[in-house]
Amino acid sequence: LAIRCLSVLVCLSLVSGVGLAGIAAAPAPSPSSSLLPDAVRERAAALRDDALAGTRALEIARSLSFEVGPRSAGSPGDRAAVEWGLRTLRGLGFENVHAEKVTVPHWDRGTIAGEILSPWPQPVILASLGGSVGTPEAPAGNGIEAEVVGVPSLAALDQLDPARVQGRIVFYDVKMQRTKDVAGYRDAVPVRGAGASRAAKRGAVAVLIRSIGTGHDRFPHTGAMRYEDGVAKIPAAALAPADADLLAAALASGKPVRFRLRSTARMLPDAESANVIGEIRGRERPDEIVLLGAHLDSWDLGTGGIDDGAGVAIMTEAARRIGAAGNGKLPRPRRPRRTIRVVLFANEEFGTSGARAYAAAHAAELAEHVLAAESDLGAGRVYRLSSGVAPDHLPQIAELAKLLAPLGVSPGDNEAHGGSDVAPLGAAGVPLLDLDQDATSYFDWHHTANDTVDKIDPKEIDQNVAAWAALAYAVADLPGDLGRAPAGKGRE
Amino acid sequence: LAIRCLSVLVCLSLVSGVGLAGIAAAPAPSPSSSLLPDAVRERAAALRDDALAGTRALEIARSLSFEVGPRSAGSPGDRAAVEWGLRTLRGLGFENVHAEKVTVPHWDRGTIAGEILSPWPQPVILASLGGSVGTPEAPAGNGIEAEVVGVPSLAALDQLDPARVQGRIVFYDVKMQRTKDVAGYRDAVPVRGAGASRAAKRGAVAVLIRSIGTGHDRFPHTGAMRYEDGVAKIPAAALAPADADLLAAALASGKPVRFRLRSTARMLPDAESANVIGEIRGRERPDEIVLLGAHLDSWDLGTGGIDDGAGVAIMTEAARRIGAAGNGKLPRPRRPRRTIRVVLFANEEFGTSGARAYAAAHAAELAEHVLAAESDLGAGRVYRLSSGVAPDHLPQIAELAKLLAPLGVSPGDNEAHGGSDVAPLGAAGVPLLDLDQDATSYFDWHHTANDTVDKIDPKEIDQNVAAWAALAYAVADLPGDLGRAPAGKGRE
């Protein structure tokens, strides 16, 4: 049975002997041993340094990419991925390995073809956005043929004379900016989700977007879109960057631009998938959970090497090393106080079905989740630790950040969002930690056919494993916990 | 009527007053003014420097990529490219603009699909090699399904027990090396042309190759293959790099690897295309020709932005600037002594039909071609001048190289091959000059869907124009010519 703290402050005082008054008056550094005992710190540091000498993460990512490959929700690859997850976690020595059923939407991309008919007849390379309807099959099966109207943003569409949109194909030419963090993506991506219904309300017959990505290689980027209730569903597709340039140039010529689109995309009946779970059981408080998440599904165009094969591999390998730690500088395995639970979530990409199913199925034990974290931004180097905890626990976070400083990880703010799959847990009060990754190159490959495992740098993925192994171990073996997250965390 | 030199030595002595004995005794530097008169040198240098300030080359390449796009031999794009060429050369002020009919083979890629059936079921990304047959349509239309046998080279295939090849799909896993020049490509490419027949002789039912390229983006590379007479024609396709990695890993697992291939590639009846020609007529010897070549066709997967949109743009713009030179430091236009002839060759990619047609149609005037040169390696920076001339003309080549030194161009050897389209002219005695380009990145994009005009660096293409404008002008305006190329030039 787990001994749990009734509140953050009681917990801290029990562990460290620091009185309530002292904490309240000075949230500044307490003696560090009180926040992160030497034994925990040393073991965490050894896990960190051992991982830098080489891990099995790339091997795990490669296994998932090669042996399963594309695994979008509801597809045969999705089922194969669940089997892979169970087999892999068992093979790596995890305990309590099991699948928890998740019902997922099942969208089928079918085939797509697009061509400029005039002024410069030429086929283009494009991909349906996830969830898009296809073009009408009847009567002639010739798809949609219409004139194109271009706009530089969602807002610009609203400024257009409705007569210019009615019966047309709307082309949103939004250019994503390359940033180290996800800011560039966050700013550009709304057009993907909302563009179709926004145009359909004004009578458009289809939408095209410039792919949401930073690369200039000729890959169209997919990703989820959604239809508003009560608005006509029109097809939505993303053009590869060069093809967006071409369409923009055709529009800039001043001549009418006609376009033909054919797509057989469609929704199929819901399907069954699963969250795959494995644990390193805690030695003292096994019911308290440090949750390390990643998502098992991928988009269908690539093999999900980075999204989220990398995250699956990082979290699985970090937990494995904590459980198996007897190598390198660590004289013998020792379980942490709490349980490390790896959760490989079903269907993050097309509606976070697995996240919602997990939060519902585990609602009763969320109070015993002492941390939730996710790795879902490829294998780029970790550069910052952000938290989503009650402010009085920030001194502990500062101690954890020190542990990661040798990896080049800086302290961040307390605005961690936790990643799509664990955000609902943060909203339910589970403390969140983010290890922010350098995403400078990530959006060159994200959601394209080019998301393959060769994009992972072995040194970089090992640095991720080092950071997560040290951090997860430290939180799981702390005498005290991180309290509860304040309202508003994890909702982003 | 042109005044032509009867021989190199007579010509030199006429122009410079240097006697036969002097030349014969000392092929080392003569007074440079005798080889490259000051007036020619200065004008060439001005053309060179003006081009560095900005040219229309990228605009021309963009026009071809956007307004025509894919233009493989015999396709509608091929016909559109001929129209574009005529329209563009006329629009840029060329003289004697016309098309010369060329009969071209017409291969249709159709569609292709490949998948690993076992041990790891997964679709792969691949492309038919140019000229490949498709898979059998009858009876079930299920294509070819067979076990795969992997070999690291053409030579390794010959070492295999024939029983291991019979009825199998052969996978040639040859990795191309990245080099600044074309050496990496030259070493790797034979497997593409010869691999199918070599395997068919041993009973193989299809061949797969790792794409011949240096990139690791998930594009399959196409390119011409050929069947040996009397050998069964079997389908040949190239896997994208990540898919070649996957297939190699599946083979390395030791389990039998089964593969299914379906392709509708096929040959169609020969079609009509054309070499497109335009000139800047010479002021003194208009029948003497400085030929600047590039090829108008492209492979069908990309838009031919670099192969050979870049070359078309470089040679067209270099010639245009010579004809129009009145801008920048050049006070007024002045035609060079000889004619600059731009030839945009039909179908280089699938059998050099245009090159052979030009050499045949112009056989009678090849003796009056004083130079043939081609730009067909994208827009990478020029770094070396190589020649294919009689050795006694090397001092002139050295003078020309000095003219290009400010562009970072070094003197090369006398082994120029001239490019596929002008090599037959070299073999007929026409002097050749190559401006060797930095091809470090070129084979990342070459023959893929990613060959688009955005891969051109504006500064680099302008440097190419600067070099060719200076060089072509100097040769066209020299009092003497470059003699005749010795036997053996241009055959590579």
Side-chain angles (χ1 to χ4, degrees):
Chain A
L1 219 104
I3 302 165
R4 302 200 60 255
C5 297
L6 297 176
S7 86
V8 169
L9 297 181
V10 172
C11 199
L12 272 177
S13 65
L14 282 172
V15 168
S16 64
V18 175
L20 274 174
I23 289 288
S30 311
S32 66
S33 64
S34 69
L35 298 171
L36 191 62
D38 286 347
V40 176
R41 180 194 316 279
E42 285 162 19
R43 201 162 185 89
L47 276 160
R48 178 195 67 201
D49 297 342
D50 277 0
L52 290 182
T55 81
R56 295 170 67 174
L58 184 54
E59 177 190 332
I60 294 168
R62 200 175 264 150
S63 168
L64 179 55
S65 283
F66 284 173
E67 297 173 34
V68 178
R71 47 194 182 277
S72 57
S75 69
D78 187 14
R79 291 187 289 280
V82 170
E83 292 306 312
W84 176 91
L86 293 169
R87 182 171 81 236
T88 300
L89 293 183
R90 286 184 185 126
L92 292 173
F94 282 81
E95 299 159 301
N96 191 23
V97 174
H98 65 285
E100 297 184 356
K101 180 179 162 180
V102 179
T103 300
V104 297
H106 187 190
W107 175 75
D108 177 53
R109 172 176 305 284
T111 59
I112 190 167
E115 56 184 319
I116 296 175
L117 300 172
S118 66
W120 305 328
Q122 189 173 146
V124 296
I125 293 182
L126 76 179
S128 289
L129 296 181
S132 174
V133 297
T135 51
E137 290 185 30
N142 278 335
I144 289 170
E145 184 185 320
E147 192 172 326
V148 178
V149 57
V151 291
S153 65
L154 278 172
L157 178 76
D158 301 338
Q159 307 301 318
L160 275 190
D161 177 353
R164 292 202 55 208
V165 180
Q166 182 68 38
R168 303 274 167 88
I169 296 171
V170 169
F171 169 47
Y172 292 103
D173 193 7
V174 177
K175 290 193 177 78
M176 176 176 161
Q177 300 302 309
R178 188 183 295 275
T179 57
K180 185 176 178 179
D181 62 9
V182 295
Y185 184 65
R186 193 188 54 214
D187 291 350
V189 78
V191 72
R192 191 184 76 204
S197 288
R198 196 97 159 235
K201 284 180 191 169
R202 287 159 184 80
V205 294
V207 299
L208 300 171
I209 67 170
R210 179 184 287 272
S211 286
I212 306 299
T214 45
H216 220 288
D217 290 309
R218 204 173 179 203
F219 296 106
H221 294 234
T222 191
M225 56 82 64
R226 59 185 176 279
Y227 292 113
E228 286 181 41
D229 289 340
V231 177
K233 294 181 177 178
I234 61 173
L239 294 168
D243 303 87
D245 290 349
L246 168 62
L247 187 54
L251 288 165
S253 76
K255 295 172 189 152
V257 177
R258 291 194 68 80
F259 194 92
R260 181 187 290 148
L261 180 70
R262 302 179 208 205
S263 157
T264 61
R266 59 184 179 151
M267 290 299 305
L268 298 172
D270 284 353
E272 190 173 317
S273 184
N275 292 330
V276 175
I277 294 176
E279 296 179 338
I280 307 296
R281 298 291 289 172
R283 71 173 191 277
E284 282 185 6
R285 303 178 203 166
D287 293 340
E288 292 189 20
I289 305 297
V290 168
L291 187 156
L292 300 184
H295 67 84
L296 192 52
D297 66 310
S298 76
W299 276 113
D300 53 334
L301 297 174
T303 66
I306 58 164
D307 185 12
D308 186 25
V312 166
I314 289 164
M315 291 312 213
T316 298
E317 174 65 358
R320 184 193 74 78
R321 295 178 77 85
I322 294 169
N327 57 347
K329 297 182 191 162
L330 299 171
R332 56 189 183 283
R334 188 181 72 160
R335 291 169 183 273
R337 284 182 168 85
R338 298 175 187 80
T339 291
I340 308 272
R341 177 180 289 174
V342 171
V343 182
L344 307 181
F345 289 95
N347 187 35
E348 186 271 343
E349 295 292 2
F350 191 43
T352 62
S353 317
R356 288 179 287 114
Y358 182 90
H362 296 266
E365 60 167 348
L366 291 189
E368 294 191 292
H369 280 55
V370 301
L371 174 67
E374 183 167 20
S375 175
D376 182 20
L377 202 65
R381 192 168 277 278
V382 170
Y383 69 92
R384 193 171 58 197
L385 171 65
S386 303
S387 57
V389 301
D392 50 2
H393 282 272
L394 289 175
Q396 274 167 291
I397 302 302
E399 288 303 310
L400 294 171
K402 285 183 199 163
L403 187 60
L404 304 183
L407 299 175
V409 178
S410 311
D413 61 23
N414 197 33
E415 302 298 323
H417 59 75
S420 312
D421 289 312
V422 301
L425 308 182
V430 179
L432 302 173
L433 290 176
D434 286 351
L435 286 178
D436 301 319
Q437 293 174 261
D438 187 330
T440 306
S441 300
Y442 181 71
F443 294 100
D444 291 352
W445 308 313
H446 175 252
H447 291 191
T448 72
N450 205 21
D451 174 359
T452 50
V453 74
D454 49 275
K455 306 307 180 299
I456 297 176
D457 179 303
K459 290 289 180 200
E460 291 185 355
I461 199 168
D462 287 347
Q463 187 254 11
N464 275 264
V465 172
W468 281 115
L471 188 63
Y473 166 76
V475 174
D477 212 22
L478 278 179
D481 64 20
L482 298 175
R484 304 312 294 162
K489 292 298 177 195
R491 294 183 184 280
E492 189 177 322
Chain B
L1 217 106
I3 303 165
R4 303 200 58 256
C5 297
L6 296 175
S7 84
V8 170
L9 298 181
V10 172
C11 199
L12 274 175
S13 65
L14 283 173
V15 168
S16 64
V18 175
L20 275 173
I23 290 286
S30 309
S32 67
S33 65
S34 69
L35 297 172
L36 190 62
D38 287 347
V40 175
R41 179 195 316 281
E42 283 162 19
R43 200 161 184 90
L47 276 161
R48 177 194 69 201
D49 297 341
D50 277 0
L52 290 182
T55 81
R56 294 170 68 175
L58 184 54
E59 177 190 333
I60 295 168
R62 200 175 266 150
S63 168
L64 179 55
S65 283
F66 284 173
E67 297 172 33
V68 179
R71 47 195 183 276
S72 57
S75 69
D78 188 14
R79 289 187 291 279
V82 169
E83 291 307 312
W84 176 91
L86 293 170
R87 183 171 79 235
T88 300
L89 293 183
R90 286 183 186 127
L92 292 173
F94 282 82
E95 300 159 300
N96 190 23
V97 174
H98 65 284
E100 297 184 356
K101 181 179 163 182
V102 179
T103 300
V104 297
H106 186 191
W107 175 75
D108 178 53
R109 172 177 304 286
T111 60
I112 190 166
E115 57 184 317
I116 295 176
L117 299 172
S118 65
W120 305 329
Q122 189 173 147
V124 297
I125 293 181
L126 76 179
S128 289
L129 296 181
S132 174
V133 297
T135 51
E137 290 185 28
N142 278 335
I144 288 171
E145 185 185 321
E147 193 172 326
V148 178
V149 57
V151 289
S153 66
L154 278 171
L157 177 76
D158 301 338
Q159 308 300 319
L160 276 189
D161 178 353
R164 291 202 54 209
V165 179
Q166 182 66 40
R168 302 273 167 89
I169 295 170
V170 169
F171 169 47
Y172 293 103
D173 193 8
V174 177
K175 290 193 177 78
M176 176 177 162
Q177 300 302 308
R178 188 183 295 275
T179 56
K180 185 176 178 181
D181 62 10
V182 295
Y185 184 66
R186 192 188 55 215
D187 292 349
V189 78
V191 72
R192 191 183 77 204
S197 288
R198 195 96 158 235
K201 283 180 193 170
R202 287 157 185 80
V205 294
V207 299
L208 300 170
I209 68 169
R210 178 184 287 273
S211 285
I212 306 299
T214 45
H216 221 288
D217 291 309
R218 205 173 179 203
F219 296 106
H221 295 233
T222 191
M225 56 83 62
R226 60 184 175 279
Y227 293 113
E228 287 181 40
D229 288 341
V231 178
K233 293 180 178 180
I234 62 174
L239 294 168
D243 303 87
D245 291 349
L246 168 62
L247 188 54
L251 289 165
S253 77
K255 296 172 188 152
V257 177
R258 291 194 69 78
F259 193 94
R260 182 187 289 148
L261 181 70
R262 302 178 208 205
S263 158
T264 62
R266 60 186 177 148
M267 291 299 305
L268 298 173
D270 284 353
E272 189 173 317
S273 184
N275 293 328
V276 176
I277 295 176
E279 296 179 338
I280 307 296
R281 298 289 290 170
R283 72 172 191 277
E284 282 185 7
R285 304 178 205 166
D287 293 340
E288 292 189 21
I289 306 296
V290 168
L291 188 156
L292 299 184
H295 67 85
L296 192 52
D297 67 309
S298 76
W299 276 113
D300 52 334
L301 297 173
T303 66
I306 57 165
D307 186 11
D308 187 22
V312 166
I314 289 163
M315 292 311 213
T316 299
E317 174 65 358
R320 184 194 73 80
R321 294 178 78 86
I322 294 169
N327 57 347
K329 297 181 192 165
L330 299 171
R332 58 189 180 281
R334 188 181 71 162
R335 292 169 183 272
R337 283 183 169 84
R338 298 176 186 80
T339 290
I340 308 271
R341 176 180 291 175
V342 171
V343 182
L344 307 180
F345 289 94
N347 187 35
E348 185 271 344
E349 295 292 2
F350 191 44
T352 61
S353 317
R356 288 179 286 113
Y358 182 90
H362 296 265
E365 59 168 347
L366 292 188
E368 295 190 291
H369 280 54
V370 302
L371 173 68
E374 183 167 20
S375 174
D376 182 19
L377 202 66
R381 192 168 277 279
V382 170
Y383 68 93
R384 193 170 57 197
L385 170 66
S386 303
S387 56
V389 300
D392 50 2
H393 283 272
L394 290 174
Q396 274 167 292
I397 302 302
E399 288 304 310
L400 293 171
K402 283 184 200 163
L403 187 60
L404 304 183
L407 299 175
V409 178
S410 312
D413 62 23
N414 197 34
E415 301 299 323
H417 57 74
S420 312
D421 289 312
V422 301
L425 307 182
V430 179
L432 302 174
L433 289 176
D434 286 351
L435 285 178
D436 300 321
Q437 293 174 261
D438 187 330
T440 305
S441 301
Y442 181 71
F443 293 100
D444 291 352
W445 308 314
H446 175 252
H447 291 189
T448 72
N450 205 20
D451 175 358
T452 50
V453 75
D454 49 276
K455 306 307 179 298
I456 296 175
D457 179 303
K459 289 289 180 201
E460 291 185 354
I461 199 169
D462 287 347
Q463 188 254 11
N464 275 266
V465 172
W468 281 115
L471 189 63
Y473 166 76
V475 174
D477 212 24
L478 278 178
D481 64 20
L482 297 175
R484 305 311 296 162
K489 292 298 177 194
R491 294 183 184 279
E492 190 177 322

